[in-house]
Amino acid sequence: MGLGKLRLSSFSLFVILLCQLSFSAYQMGDHPCHLKRDYSLTYRKEGDLVIGGFFSLFLKTSIYVDKLSFRIPPVWTSADSKYMIKHYQHFLIFQFAVHEINKDPHLLPNITLGYQLFSNFHSNKLALENSLIWLSGMGPTIPNYNCELQHKSVAVIGGMSSTLSMAMATMLGLYKVPQVTYGPFDLLLADNVQYPYVYQMGSRESTLHLTVIKLMLHFGWTWIGLVISDNMRGEQFFNNLKEEMTRNGMCLAFVERVPKKINLEHDESIKLFSRIIASSSNVIFIYGDTDSLFEFSILVNDFYLNGKLLITTSYWDFSIDVTKEMNHFHGTLIISQIKREIPGFTDFLRSVKPTVNTEDIFLKSFWEITYYCRLSKKGTVELLHYVCPEMDLVEGVYSSDFEKTIMDLSYNIYNGIYLLAHAFHQLLESDPKATSEFGKNPVLSWKLHHFLRCVNPDLDDKDELCGYAARMADERYDILNFKIFPDYIAKQVKVGEVIHHGKELNIHEEDVDWPEDFGQTPSSTCSASCGPGFRKTLQEGQPICCFDCTLCPEGEISNQSDTEQCLKCPEDQYPSKEKDRCLPKTVTYLAYEETLGMALAAVALSLSLLTTLVLGIFVMHRDTPIVKANNRSLSYTLLTSLTLCFLSSLLFIGRPTPATCLLRQTTFAIVFTVTIASILAKTITMVLAFRATKQVSKLRRLMGTRVSYFLIFICTLIQMCLCGIWLGTYPPFLEKDTHSEFSFIVIQCNEGSLVTFYCVLGYMGFLSLVSFTLAFLARKLPDTFNEAKYLTFSMMVFCSVWISFLPAYQSTKRKAMVAMEIFSILVSGAGILTCIFVPKCYVIFLRSDRNTLSLLKSKANP
């Protein structure tokens, strides 16, 4: 690909022009232009094929540049050995993978892999400079000049972050050098036009946001803060996480984007940290890599996030400064891809000793810095005279300085070495002559690109993968807990895992050490959870996680926490007092077993027995004048109907059935009609008898028994017709009233057609009103046994009771309504019995002197 087709930055063009001018000056005999740094460490091991390794061991800090910086001489800044020392594992895993491949007789037979290791001090400028050194060979760093030995160098592994990878790709891409990055996947590096020779070993993390959601759901965290790096990776993760959180009813308390450069002395950094501290969220998820959040980790170390639980990924290495106090991060949860065991790596570490690998300057620096000792007269730590002990890495390295378990980036390096090895293998199988031409024709290394695209970088999968798009994220994640043990030994302890294929989260909470600010599992919610019996009411203008708890309305319950809607109980159940469950309603009706039903039934039976007794008295004294004078046949009929009236009230007591619902109102109406009709017949008979005595007219013929019974029959027939219409159109029916009583199901009889029901009552009222009127007009008739007064009082009681019954019947419900009707039947019947027949019984038993025929004749003929 020509230079015209590459989209190079202005900085890249400047570097190229500078290098070309420098090389021209070198050819003309002027002062040679080459780059030389005292801290540009490199370690090379020869082989038939040489792979370059660009890693970040120490840190070269940069100075903030402003307008005032140009007024003073530039300040030289050296590399700081205190930082990023734990990443020495990247060098070791690189060397181990090469050593392992060289021992494999099948992968690359008759070919030995070599390597050249660089430390770019996590600096973009030095990464670019080391790329130029690697391209120039073993001699001075001269642009566009390659040492003959350098032709063996066919590929590069490097780029702990995307910015480092881009800086390297700017230079290496000009020469089509295959570059395998081991840092997190970045969409910018996936641009095939701008970075066509870059192959990313990092995964896309397509399910990382789902892992965060699972963790939040498990602990009930619905209100979290989010700190992301201010780049495309951070924005993509934010969008994915926000969408999934909305789907699960969770909210973000804040979203802070951390710029790559933070001026720790500027007010803006203080404001950034203050917003995080002031948040009501107790859980903060931090997403980014070591490069993008390095200065933020220093900020966290300096100010301390009090009362906050941090969750992050293994790509943000907050422990890169081993000299800082790490207690701030105790309890932090780390989401990491499953750490797979690499067989033989521990044994390899036992063979790594500075006395054996004397040329490995990185091992020497790491060893002296770790133990603060010296291996030679001129050691890394020159102020001490303590001689380093004889031991290997497994025995001697402090756990806080070196991770013996394989980290994510280390595993990517391991896979990257094997990716290149398999590409070499495929290239040599397709072109056997390539073996002899390596080192002579650098163009052959360009052929690796085809095989890098079609070799599966994941050794566990056997399917061929063509196209070098980054692999999808591993469907399994480890949940690690960062713990500070005594003697300040830091460890990442596995406490759980997430398997997305099975949608499982397995976590051992008893193994988790929470931050010291939390005595137990921390909670993080905007509003306290609404317990059963309450529903969530959203606060106006606030996220859905911020709400008030409102008691469920009457008749509704919520049996779960944080429900948005209360539920109505089934018709046969009612809410408990706490409104957290539904209780079965009690079936109720006016039963014989309860006090009211028992009392009413006893009164009804007593009155019916009393009426029967009165009927017996009248039968026994049927020949006495007082019984004869008041039409004893009508008296018998009246007493019999009264007895049935009292007994008809028993149909209203007990569990209603369809049969009792049909019979009780109609039976009551008919027998009471007979009673009223009998009273009406007695009243008419009495009036006609008086008129016949005075005027001796034909009215005497109307005093016969047949006429009276005919009148009773006609009145009763009319009532029976009304009841027949009622039963034929809309009859009473059995129903269960589940709404009137809060905790009861009332078994009752619905009257059906209320119009017909009131017509039946109105007809009885009409008959009683006629009887009352006639009796009232005849109350002063001069007859010894004139019962007009008694009939008047009885009808007055009857009308008063039933006139009072109508509004009371409308205002009462359920059992009270039934009891009211029974009470009206008994009182009205008792009033008739008392007013008409008690005076006669009084005369029969106590005033027998007045129950004589002579007295009757004397009163009849004054």
Side-chain angles (χ1 to χ4, degrees):
M1 180 181 294
L3 290 177
K5 296 182 179 180
L6 292 175
R7 290 160 35 188
L8 299 176
S9 62
S10 58
F11 177 73
S12 302
L13 293 175
F14 172 76
V15 171
I16 295 171
L17 292 175
L18 176 63
C19 292
Q20 289 178 344
L21 291 174
S22 302
F23 182 63
S24 301
Y26 177 80
Q27 288 180 325
M28 289 185 295
D30 296 336
H31 296 287
C33 175
H34 62 272
L35 302 176
K36 182 175 179 57
R37 300 289 192 194
D38 293 335
Y39 53 78
S40 296
L41 305 176
T42 180
Y43 170 52
R44 184 182 178 94
K45 184 176 181 180
E46 294 298 336
D48 298 323
L49 300 175
V50 177
I51 302 175
F54 293 78
F55 304 114
S56 301
L57 179 56
F58 305 127
L59 180 68
K60 174 138 184 349
T61 57
S62 58
I63 298 178
Y64 178 74
V65 178
D66 55 12
K67 295 180 180 179
L68 297 177
S69 302
F70 294 95
R71 299 181 182 179
I72 58 178
V75 179
W76 171 254
T77 57
S78 61
D80 195 338
S81 61
K82 297 182 297 182
Y83 293 98
M84 306 185 74
I85 193 171
K86 67 181 295 184
H87 292 291
Y88 180 60
Q89 188 188 78
H90 300 167
F91 291 81
L92 293 173
I93 202 71
F94 185 99
Q95 292 171 300
F96 169 70
V98 173
H99 174 73
E100 195 176 44
I101 292 172
N102 287 334
K103 292 196 308 180
D104 189 343
H106 305 290
L107 186 55
L108 292 177
N110 302 321
I111 292 181
T112 303
L113 281 184
Y115 52 81
Q116 185 175 5
L117 302 178
F118 294 88
S119 175
N120 53 35
F121 299 93
H122 209 65
S123 168
N124 296 343
K125 295 180 181 178
L126 295 180
L128 181 64
E129 179 180 323
N130 285 337
S131 301
L132 189 58
I133 293 174
W134 183 80
L135 289 171
S136 299
M138 297 297 291
T141 306
I142 302 172
N144 282 338
Y145 174 76
N146 289 14
C147 178
E148 181 178 356
L149 296 177
Q150 186 62 16
H151 291 167
K152 297 179 181 180
S153 301
V154 291
V156 165
I157 290 182
M160 182 175 172
S161 65
S162 56
T163 54
L164 291 174
S165 300
M166 292 175 188
M168 294 171 57
T170 302
M171 180 61 67
L172 297 175
L174 296 176
Y175 301 93
K176 301 183 181 180
V177 175
Q179 177 185 349
V180 179
T181 67
Y182 64 94
F185 176 83
D186 196 296
L187 288 174
L188 294 177
L189 289 174
D191 187 346
N192 295 339
V193 177
Q194 190 169 1
Y195 304 105
Y197 310 117
V198 174
Y199 306 91
Q200 300 190 68
M201 298 305 299
S203 63
R204 285 184 179 270
E205 299 178 340
S206 60
T207 58
L208 177 62
H209 64 287
L210 300 179
T211 302
V212 178
I213 295 297
K214 287 181 182 293
L215 200 62
M216 293 171 61
L217 290 174
H218 177 80
F219 290 106
W221 298 328
T222 59
W223 184 247
I224 70 168
L226 180 63
V227 177
I228 58 175
S229 53
D230 192 10
N231 52 30
M232 186 180 295
R233 288 184 67 243
E235 290 300 324
Q236 183 183 20
F237 177 79
F238 165 65
N239 293 331
N240 294 338
L241 182 65
K242 183 179 180 181
E243 181 181 353
E244 197 66 26
M245 289 182 66
T246 302
R247 188 178 294 113
N248 288 274
M250 303 173 180
C251 306
L252 288 171
F254 65 86
V255 180
E256 293 292 342
R257 295 167 177 82
V258 180
K260 186 176 180 180
K261 293 295 181 181
I262 299 179
N263 185 3
L264 300 180
E265 299 179 358
H266 199 273
D267 291 341
E268 202 59 40
S269 62
I270 304 299
K271 292 180 181 178
L272 169 67
F273 205 80
S274 299
R275 290 193 297 267
I276 298 175
I277 287 292
S279 171
S280 59
S281 172
N282 294 329
V283 178
I284 300 176
F285 187 82
I286 302 176
Y287 180 79
D289 53 26
T290 304
D291 186 38
S292 59
L293 295 179
F294 168 71
E295 293 186 0
F296 178 75
S297 64
I298 299 178
L299 189 67
V300 174
N301 245 328
D302 290 341
F303 288 94
Y304 181 38
L305 287 171
N306 185 27
K308 306 294 182 182
L309 169 66
L310 301 183
I311 305 176
T312 185
T313 67
S314 57
Y315 286 132
W316 179 48
D317 186 8
F318 52 82
S319 60
I320 53 176
D321 183 359
V322 297
T323 64
K324 291 285 185 179
E325 182 67 46
M326 295 305 299
N327 287 334
H328 297 351
F329 296 98
H330 177 74
T332 298
L333 294 181
I334 304 169
I335 301 176
S336 171
Q337 292 185 12
I338 292 291
K339 288 182 170 58
R340 306 174 186 178
E341 295 295 331
I342 299 181
F345 182 60
T346 303
D347 295 334
F348 173 78
L349 293 180
R350 297 185 187 278
S351 65
V352 178
K353 298 180 180 180
T355 55
V356 176
N357 309 76
T358 56
E359 296 182 359
D360 191 342
I361 58 176
F362 299 108
L363 175 59
K364 176 183 177 182
S365 300
F366 174 78
W367 199 274
E368 292 184 341
I369 290 172
T370 300
Y371 290 102
Y372 211 49
C373 64
R374 59 182 178 85
L375 290 169
S376 60
K377 293 183 178 180
K378 187 177 182 181
T380 305
V381 184
E382 299 180 1
L383 297 180
L384 293 182
H385 301 285
Y386 174 67
V387 179
C388 296
E390 280 284 342
M391 62 181 69
D392 56 51
L393 285 174
V394 176
E395 295 173 349
V397 175
Y398 297 126
S399 299
S400 59
D401 299 334
F402 181 75
E403 287 286 348
K404 298 182 179 66
T405 57
I406 304 301
M407 297 182 293
D408 294 343
L409 297 180
S410 298
Y411 195 77
N412 291 341
I413 295 172
Y414 182 80
N415 279 344
I417 298 293
Y418 269 90
L419 170 66
L420 293 174
H422 280 275
F424 294 148
H425 180 79
Q426 294 290 335
L427 174 60
L428 297 178
E429 280 191 347
S430 62
D431 186 6
K433 296 181 180 180
T435 305
S436 59
E437 294 181 359
F438 266 123
K440 297 179 181 179
N441 187 2
V443 179
L444 289 176
S445 64
W446 300 352
K447 295 182 179 181
L448 284 176
H449 294 293
H450 170 73
F451 299 100
L452 287 174
R453 293 185 177 96
C454 292
V455 174
N456 193 340
D458 192 342
L459 301 180
D460 294 335
D461 297 332
K462 302 303 180 184
D463 297 332
E464 186 178 64
L465 174 66
C466 287
Y468 61 90
R471 294 170 293 137
M472 296 301 290
D474 196 335
E475 293 297 322
R476 301 177 62 187
Y477 288 91
D478 280 337
I479 307 299
L480 308 178
N481 188 210
F482 187 79
K483 299 182 180 182
I484 305 295
F485 293 97
D487 299 329
Y488 300 99
I489 296 177
K491 280 289 186 181
Q492 295 182 11
V493 180
K494 180 178 178 179
V495 294
E497 64 179 5
V498 177
I499 305 175
H500 284 288
H501 181 68
K503 298 182 178 179
E504 298 178 2
L505 169 63
N506 301 318
I507 190 166
H508 307 288
E509 295 188 37
E510 64 276 6
D511 296 334
V512 179
D513 285 355
W514 302 109
E516 295 179 355
D517 298 320
F518 302 100
Q520 56 185 359
T521 303
S523 62
S524 186
T525 57
C526 180
S527 300
S529 177
C530 293
F534 294 84
R535 62 181 176 88
K536 297 194 300 185
T537 303
L538 297 181
Q539 298 177 1
E540 186 176 358
Q542 296 295 324
I544 61 174
C545 298
C546 303
F547 50 81
D548 297 319
C549 296
T550 306
L551 188 66
C552 287
E554 288 295 329
E556 297 183 1
I557 62 113
S558 62
N559 53 8
Q560 296 180 349
S561 300
D562 294 332
T563 56
E564 297 182 357
Q565 296 294 334
C566 296
L567 304 175
K568 287 185 175 295
C569 287
E571 291 187 350
D572 57 345
Q573 297 179 5
Y574 71 98
S576 63
K577 184 178 180 181
E578 296 79 13
K579 296 186 177 182
D580 59 349
R581 64 188 185 278
C582 291
L583 303 176
K585 289 185 176 180
T586 304
V587 176
T588 183
Y589 51 86
L590 187 59
Y592 287 104
E593 293 80 7
E594 58 182 295
T595 304
L596 181 59
M598 190 179 299
L600 292 174
V603 172
L605 291 175
S606 300
L607 290 175
S608 63
L609 290 176
L610 181 62
T611 306
T612 303
L613 179 62
V614 172
L615 177 60
I617 294 172
F618 267 60
V619 171
M620 291 176 60
H621 298 82
R622 62 184 177 277
D623 295 327
T624 59
I626 194 169
V627 176
K628 286 183 176 180
N630 292 286
N631 199 332
R632 60 186 176 188
S633 60
L634 288 179
S635 296
Y636 295 159
T637 303
L638 179 58
L639 288 171
T640 303
S641 62
L642 271 179
T643 301
L644 295 176
C645 285
F646 292 136
L647 293 176
S648 68
S649 63
L650 297 178
L651 294 174
F652 292 84
I653 306 175
R655 186 184 181 97
T657 63
T660 55
C661 287
L662 291 174
L663 291 176
R664 66 184 189 178
Q665 294 290 4
T666 55
T667 302
F668 149 72
I670 291 174
V671 295
F672 246 101
T673 300
V674 173
T675 300
I676 303 301
S678 299
I679 295 174
L680 179 61
K682 287 175 69 67
T683 305
I684 293 176
T685 301
M686 181 187 61
V687 173
L688 293 179
F690 178 78
R691 295 298 180 185
T693 302
K694 285 292 185 179
Q695 301 178 4
V696 191
S697 62
K698 296 181 180 180
L699 295 176
R700 184 179 293 275
R701 290 179 297 178
L702 299 177
M703 296 171 56
T705 304
R706 294 181 179 179
V707 176
S708 299
Y709 282 121
F710 181 75
L711 177 62
I712 295 174
F713 174 74
I714 292 299
C715 293
T716 306
L717 181 62
I718 295 173
Q719 185 68 287
M720 292 177 66
C721 290
L722 291 175
C723 291
I725 295 172
W726 186 9
L727 297 177
T729 55
Y730 192 7
F733 57 90
L734 180 67
E735 73 171 359
K736 295 182 179 180
D737 185 2
T738 59
H739 304 290
S740 300
E741 290 279 358
F742 179 72
S743 58
F744 296 96
I745 299 177
V746 181
I747 307 297
Q748 64 183 10
C749 292
N750 191 301
E751 307 305 342
S753 176
L754 290 177
V755 175
T756 312
F757 173 65
Y758 286 118
C759 287
V760 170
L761 293 180
Y763 177 70
M764 287 192 298
F766 170 74
L767 292 180
S768 62
L769 184 61
V770 172
S771 298
F772 172 76
T773 303
L774 292 177
F776 180 79
L777 295 176
R779 69 187 186 280
K780 295 182 178 181
L781 291 178
D783 190 1
T784 302
F785 301 109
N786 181 19
E787 60 180 352
K789 293 181 181 180
Y790 306 126
L791 293 176
T792 302
F793 280 115
S794 65
M795 287 297 97
M796 183 182 296
V797 172
F798 183 87
C799 292
S800 299
V801 169
W802 287 102
I803 289 173
S804 302
F805 165 77
L806 291 176
Y809 186 82
Q810 291 294 328
S811 60
T812 56
K813 300 292 182 182
R814 300 165 298 280
K815 292 193 299 183
M817 183 175 64
V818 178
M820 178 61 66
E821 188 168 358
I822 296 174
F823 179 79
S824 299
I825 292 173
L826 296 179
V827 171
S828 59
I832 293 174
L833 180 64
T834 302
C835 293
I836 296 178
F837 295 102
V838 170
K840 293 179 175 59
C841 293
Y842 172 78
V843 172
I844 292 174
F845 289 105
L846 300 178
R847 299 297 301 270
S848 57
D849 57 317
R850 298 180 58 184
N851 190 13
T852 60
L853 186 60
S854 59
L855 182 60
L856 177 63
K857 291 181 178 181
S858 64
K859 291 293 181 180
N861 300 294

